[in-house]
Amino acid sequence: MERTGTDFIRSMISRDLETGKYGGRVVTRFPPEPNGYLHIGHAKSICLNFGLAAEHEGGRCHLRFDDTNPTTEDETFVEAIKADIHWLGFDWGAHLYHASDYFERLYEYGVELIEKGLAYVDSSTEKEIQDLRGSVTEPGRNSPFRDRSVEENLDLFRRMRAGEFEDGAHVLRARIDMAHPNMVMRDPVLVRIRHAHHYRRGNDWPIYPLYDFAHCLSDSIEGITHSLCTLEFENNREIYDWLLLNTSAPEPRPEQTEFARLNLEYTITSKRKLKALVEEGHVRGWDDPRMPTLAGLRRRGVTPEAIRSFCDMVGVAKANSTIDLAKLDYAIRNDLNYRAPRAFAVLDPVPVVITNYQEGESEVFDAPSFPPDVGKPGTRSLPFSRDIYIDRSDFAEDPPKGYRRLVPGGEVRLKHAYVIRLERVVKDGNGDVSLLECTYDPASRGGATADGRKIGGTIHWVSRAQAVPATVRLYEPLFTVADPSNAEDFRLVLNPESERVLGGAVVEPGAAAVRPGTHLQFERSGYFFADPADSTDGSVVFNRVVGLRDGWKPPALESGEAEQAPRSASPSRPPPSTGEVAGDRGDPRDSLKAPEHLDRYDAMVAAGAPEGLASNLARDAELAALFRGGEPESDGHGGALAKWLVHEVGRARDESGANLEDLVPQALGRLVAAVEAGRFSHHQGRGLLESLLEGTTLEDAAKGLGEADDDGAIDDILSGLMDSNPDKVEAYREGKEGLLGFFVGQALRQADGRPDPKRVSERARALLGS
RNA sequence: AGCCCCGUGGUGUAAUUGGCAACACGUCUGACUCUGGAUCAGAAGAGUCCUGGUUCGAACCCAGGCGGGGCUACCA
């Protein structure tokens, strides 16, 4: 219940709740087809639909399997989808449904349409139906079977169901309009013959409904109120509404609303392509940690909380967009920071010997599992000895500026242990560093210096004797370009380094003993997850869920050799429009096609309406009639009347749903004339128009409007406002001129809208300026 | 070419009857720090695709452009 009106769908639902359109019910549904695995894009839809239900008292979200295509669907997907939704944290309770349970009802609706003459059995071939559909620019043509009798249609449809015909012999089609500008409405196929085994209905049904037919009616059967789907179904809304309207589907009818699907940088969410990735072996399976499937994300170590918070951040809107991968990373880190105990792992070890530490000696440090700011309890035992490992990246013989780790002759802190100084770098025959000889400061036990000297860097380490080898996998985006779905072939932009398996990594003993499915933060490195499937008793496999945010960058390279990180590719977005080529606007008459429009246009221009407005009005019978009726009363202000009709009357109708039928044209004409004569301000005129629309006469509405407040009263209000908003006065005087609107608007509100805003604006300007 | 939808900082979204362009991610400072993490403080960055119009006042209303997306399965 906590969030309402934050996005266009929630605003719509709030509105519906206010108007009581659905009797206060909010019933949504998530309708997956069981032919693939759920991915991050579905997560957005799940969070939306189940979230909406949870936000409203008595709200429900149904899980409905849209299983109308027997040839692609399977029970295993059903179970996987259910598991994924539960894992994400949502529950449909008793409301589990299957479109395949509605086949009988759907068949009856088909019969109903036939009886109404709104559907027919077409015996054309698939190819013929295609050919007759026309194209986006050409109308389609009627099928030769379009005018079959109701009896014949009924008989054929019954026999289709009885299984008398081969696949493709006939289809049931809606009888709408083969020349419809919306291709979806050109007699869409409703039902087809398919002698196939359905995973739930077995061989009971030789005919299957198509999406457009099944979906809206399934929604209706379940009492769905808000049917939310993605943008690509926008054109299908028309058939959705048509079917509900033309069958006995009860009111109130569900309504379809479309929102933009989730697109993520460097990620593909097409079922087909995901499938290819798996089947061609580019990944190890649907749950490969690099996959954007919920199974893959889970396997990688991403938590449901992180995904939910990500979806929350992303929001819901109608604009096509692509989300920055950094946003997902943020959501993951933000969750794991409080969840993952800290541990040390050296990913690329280089041996260190502490020469002044007693040989054979060792000690154990108690290190906290969480940093103080996370504030969770727990410690782990960290063995320390003369021989340790540190990460190769934590040493530099020739450090870049600002480097705060181990350098020759420099000190660094081994976290939770001692401060050490690098005395000698030992290299092997290839010139590679093979050993770092250091000395430690015994007085720095635990990490603090005795003399209070500052130690710039702190690094992690692992004692060599107790170090446990572990397999560590580093993940990066699966693709090298931000928009792989636009690539000619997504296979060509696969990132060969999407998974790097580190062989030589070592971890502290506690980390090696962790149960599969545990999250850890390897300090200064990232968040890791003990892979639940690949880890074995003896050895843990760690997946890097996401790296730590790295606040340090080496100073920019001189020669401008920018690093070629895979992510550096920018999404190929089109350049913004410059909007030039405005050119000349042409003759307004050109935009008018119908002869009656032209007639109206000519008449209005003759009566003094400007051409641009006249062409606008000419296409609107209602407004044109008002012009015709009001013009004689407008005292020769036909132009002004046209302006009012287009800008004020039209708006009142389209925006507030005002009914124009009761508007007396003559009154409107007199109103416009009065405003033109200066008897009312334009602002007051608007108020009068509102009254007129409600059936009040102009004379009644105008009563008491004449005595507009004088300047003195206006000034009083304004000074009051200035006194109570000194900060805004100052901001205005410092150049924030937009605040003028604040003062004018507030003053007008206080004065009940009576004074002429023009006057108020002038006075405000004068008073504020002084 | 027809129909439908959509254009607000680098990215994603807000802006409650037209009245201070806001929030988050990212970026950059600085503080703090035994994680170059977290946290805290701050900054830069859009004048709302363009051009006109209406209005005292337009991201919002009107007109015309421009740009992007979707639609021509017996898939969903």
Side-chain angles (χ1 to χ4, degrees):
Chain A
M1 291 289 284
E2 70 268 29
R3 48 184 298 187
T4 49
T6 53
D7 55 63
F8 81 102
I9 290 179
R10 278 175 244 256
S11 317
M12 172 185 70
I13 292 181
S14 305
R15 237 182 356 259
D16 290 346
L17 251 21
E18 270 168 41
T19 61
K21 188 189 234 172
Y22 294 107
R25 290 184 309 131
V26 177
V27 186
T28 58
R29 101 267 93 109
F30 176 64
E33 185 188 10
N35 69 346
Y37 287 81
L38 260 27
H39 53 67
I40 183 84
H42 293 113
K44 175 177 179 177
S45 176
I46 294 169
C47 289
L48 212 213
N49 281 295
F50 282 96
L52 247 19
E55 284 162 30
H56 297 94
E57 210 169 329
R60 307 200 299 263
C61 179
H62 295 186
L63 171 60
R64 177 170 74 236
F65 287 98
D66 214 344
D67 50 1
T68 57
N69 186 357
T71 56
T72 58
E73 295 154 5
D74 199 275
E75 182 67 30
T76 61
F77 293 118
V78 170
E79 293 311 317
I81 288 169
K82 286 194 210 167
D84 283 345
I85 297 172
H86 273 148
W87 174 76
L88 237 200
F90 297 101
D91 191 4
W92 50 90
H95 300 284
L96 171 66
Y97 303 99
H98 298 83
S100 55
D101 284 339
Y102 308 143
F103 286 169
E104 183 69 41
R105 305 271 300 265
L106 260 11
Y107 174 81
E108 283 161 17
Y109 277 124
V111 170
E112 181 187 350
L113 286 168
I114 291 174
E115 285 170 342
K116 288 179 174 169
L118 293 174
Y120 61 98
V121 172
D122 194 342
S123 309
S124 308
T125 64
E126 194 170 341
K127 174 84 168 58
E128 286 163 348
I129 289 176
Q130 254 176 46
D131 291 345
L132 288 176
R133 188 163 357 247
S135 72
V136 290
T137 49
E138 308 152 29
R141 283 164 293 141
N142 287 168
S143 158
F145 302 97
R146 197 173 195 263
D147 293 315
R148 285 220 254 235
S149 70
V150 169
E151 292 67 33
E152 190 183 3
N153 281 323
L154 248 18
D155 177 59
L156 255 12
F157 191 41
R158 187 186 50 74
R159 290 164 61 199
M160 279 169 66
R161 181 196 177 159
E164 289 185 24
F165 307 116
E166 296 293 300
D167 286 5
H170 312 280
V171 290
L172 182 72
R173 286 234 254 173
R175 198 166 184 279
I176 305 176
D177 178 4
M178 286 307 292
H180 202 287
N182 181 356
M183 298 289 298
V184 174
M185 296 297 277
R186 317 246 257 230
D187 289 12
V189 175
L190 266 21
V191 179
R192 59 173 170 169
I193 300 172
R194 194 105 320 168
H195 293 273
H197 180 87
H198 188 276
Y199 78 100
R200 290 186 80 244
R201 307 305 304 265
N203 297 320
D204 289 355
W205 287 84
I207 57 173
Y208 290 90
L210 267 54
Y211 170 85
D212 283 323
F213 186 49
H215 203 85
C216 54
L217 291 164
S218 299
D219 283 345
S220 169
I221 289 167
E222 292 178 17
I224 301 298
T225 57
H226 301 272
S227 182
L228 312 176
C229 64
T230 45
L231 253 27
E232 66 268 28
F233 292 100
E234 272 168 339
N235 293 314
N236 299 62
R237 187 174 62 236
E238 203 167 355
I239 184 67
Y240 185 103
D241 291 338
W242 186 93
L243 281 163
L244 293 179
L245 192 65
N246 288 291
T247 58
S248 51
E251 292 182 74
R253 293 184 270 264
E255 274 179 27
Q256 172 181 313
T257 304
E258 310 85 19
F259 63 91
R261 69 165 351 119
L262 178 108
N263 297 299
L264 232 201
E265 278 182 342
Y266 299 95
T267 305
I268 258 173
T269 47
S270 142
K271 260 186 203 176
R272 201 193 89 244
K273 289 175 185 169
L274 254 19
K275 195 160 178 252
L277 242 26
V278 173
E279 286 177 354
E280 294 167 19
H282 299 112
V283 295
R284 285 185 298 277
W286 287 99
D287 64 346
D288 187 292
R290 292 164 290 183
M291 290 286 274
T293 50
L294 294 186
L297 292 163
R298 175 170 60 229
R299 177 81 180 270
R300 167 113 161 227
V302 178
T303 61
E305 288 83 359
I307 295 176
R308 280 189 261 133
S309 108
F310 170 68
C311 289
D312 225 48
M313 283 193 277
V314 161
V316 185
K318 281 190 90 117
N320 281 306
S321 57
T322 302
I323 314 295
D324 205 323
L325 211 46
K327 198 160 287 199
L328 213 211
D329 289 350
Y330 171 84
I332 298 171
R333 288 191 196 106
N334 205 31
D335 180 54
L336 257 22
N337 181 34
Y338 294 93
R339 188 188 295 277
R342 311 295 129 121
F344 286 166
V346 176
L347 269 27
D348 183 10
V350 51
V352 171
V353 57
I354 299 163
T355 52
N356 60 339
Y357 194 89
Q358 189 68 44
E359 212 154 337
E361 192 77 9
S362 74
E363 58 193 305
V364 177
F365 292 100
D366 251 0
S369 298
F370 290 95
D373 54 275
V374 170
K376 287 174 96 175
T379 57
R380 83 251 197 203
S381 300
L382 219 46
F384 182 80
S385 62
R386 176 184 163 97
D387 294 299
I388 64 169
Y389 289 115
I390 68 167
D391 247 311
R392 198 166 288 271
S393 60
D394 284 335
F395 157 76
E397 197 164 16
D398 183 19
K401 221 176 151 193
Y403 192 78
R404 292 212 245 129
R405 310 170 199 177
L406 235 210
V407 300
E411 281 189 314
V412 77
R413 173 165 36 233
L414 298 175
K415 189 165 181 171
H416 304 308
Y418 292 103
V419 173
I420 57 168
R421 177 187 302 281
L422 175 55
E423 307 290 355
R424 201 165 79 88
V425 179
V426 181
K427 293 184 180 173
D428 64 14
N430 298 326
D432 292 330
V433 176
S434 58
L435 180 68
L436 298 171
E437 287 185 9
C438 296
T439 54
Y440 83 114
D441 172 5
S444 66
R445 187 168 199 282
T449 53
D451 55 6
R453 69 182 189 282
K454 288 267 181 221
I455 303 299
T458 302
I459 63 174
H460 57 280
W461 51 275
V462 170
S463 173
R464 236 188 284 178
Q466 293 87 357
V468 183
T471 304
V472 172
R473 300 156 162 173
L474 266 23
Y475 291 107
E476 267 172 50
L478 237 194
F479 297 96
T480 56
V481 295
D483 52 351
S485 45
N486 277 349
E488 194 119 328
D489 183 345
F490 65 92
R491 281 159 272 246
L492 268 28
V493 292
L494 278 164
N495 180 6
E497 306 215 319
S498 57
E499 180 181 70
R500 266 163 50 223
V501 182
L502 269 30
V506 293
V507 302
E508 64 172 79
V514 114
R515 267 208 309 274
T518 304
H519 289 98
L520 289 177
Q521 186 202 97
F522 289 156
E523 293 206 46
R524 306 206 311 125
S525 170
Y527 294 98
F528 289 78
F529 184 61
D531 191 296
D534 292 337
S535 299
T536 58
D537 278 350
S539 88
V540 185
V541 174
F542 287 105
N543 301 329
R544 182 172 69 186
V545 192
V546 63
L548 248 33
R549 192 162 164 267
D550 193 355
W552 187 71
K553 285 182 202 70
L557 303 158
E558 296 295 308
S559 48
E561 38 182 315
E563 216 179 306
Q564 259 312 349
R567 285 205 202 177
S568 67
S570 65
S572 54
R573 290 204 122 216
S577 152
T578 55
E580 273 167 78
V581 198
D584 72 300
R585 205 142 295 182
D587 188 343
R589 282 180 116 259
D590 294 347
S591 66
L592 270 17
K593 282 171 201 139
E596 73 263 30
H597 291 180
L598 280 168
D599 292 346
R600 285 191 206 132
Y601 173 85
D602 291 335
M604 283 186 282
V605 171
E611 294 180 351
L613 294 171
S615 69
N616 195 338
L617 291 173
R619 277 172 298 196
D620 192 317
E622 200 170 21
L623 295 180
L626 284 169
F627 182 86
R628 206 165 35 247
E631 196 275 331
E633 296 286 323
S634 70
D635 202 14
H637 292 107
L641 176 61
K643 218 182 263 184
W644 273 81
L645 281 167
V646 170
H647 294 294
E648 307 296 349
V649 181
R651 166 133 74 142
R653 178 189 56 187
D654 301 338
E655 242 174 68
S656 331
N659 188 355
L660 266 40
E661 279 169 29
D662 296 332
L663 180 59
V664 182
Q666 289 79 8
L668 180 66
R670 287 201 299 281
L671 167 62
V672 171
V675 172
E676 288 301 303
R679 287 205 283 127
F680 306 115
S681 70
H682 190 278
H683 182 71
Q684 288 174 325
R686 275 189 205 166
L688 291 172
L689 172 62
E690 226 166 277
S691 307
L692 250 38
L693 286 166
E694 284 162 6
T696 318
T697 66
L698 183 57
E699 287 64 30
D700 283 350
K703 276 193 189 119
L705 262 187
E707 62 252 34
D709 300 43
D710 57 23
D711 282 2
I714 295 173
D715 285 8
D716 285 349
I717 292 175
L718 283 169
S719 351
L721 280 168
M722 287 169 66
D723 286 347
S724 46
N725 297 283
D727 51 323
K728 293 196 162 66
V729 175
E730 195 184 336
Y732 175 84
R733 288 180 180 154
E734 275 166 12
K736 193 151 181 138
E737 287 177 33
L739 282 166
L740 182 68
F742 166 77
F743 287 104
V744 176
Q746 290 293 317
L748 243 23
R749 200 151 303 166
Q750 284 189 21
D752 268 341
R754 276 172 305 165
D756 182 356
K758 211 179 287 189
R759 246 350 254 155
V760 177
S761 186
E762 275 167 25
R763 291 311 304 155
R765 203 186 297 272
L767 290 172
L768 284 163
S770 59

